[in-house]
Amino acid sequence: MTRSIIEPPPEPGAPTGPLWKRLGWFVGLAVGSAVVTATVAYLLKALLH
């Protein structure tokens, strides 16, 4: 039996993780995506000049 890499969604009514952890993931993903977007934009701008 192989172990699944992707976890299924939580059951209805299951307790969620702590708020600080969920907010940490949200902020981390938001900042990370902004950094990646800015990096790609500057690289594309450098290619056009």
Side-chain angles (χ1 to χ4, degrees), residues 10-39:
E11 297 291 327
T16 58
L19 180 62
W20 66 268
K21 198 172 192 178
R22 291 183 282 146
L23 287 176
W25 273 104
F26 176 77
V27 170
L29 289 172
V31 170
S33 62
V35 168
V36 169
T37 301
T39 303

Side-chain angles (χ1 to χ4, degrees), residues 1-9:
M1 180 176 179
T2 61
R3 185 173 161 223
S4 177
I5 296 174
I6 300 174
E7 295 182 16

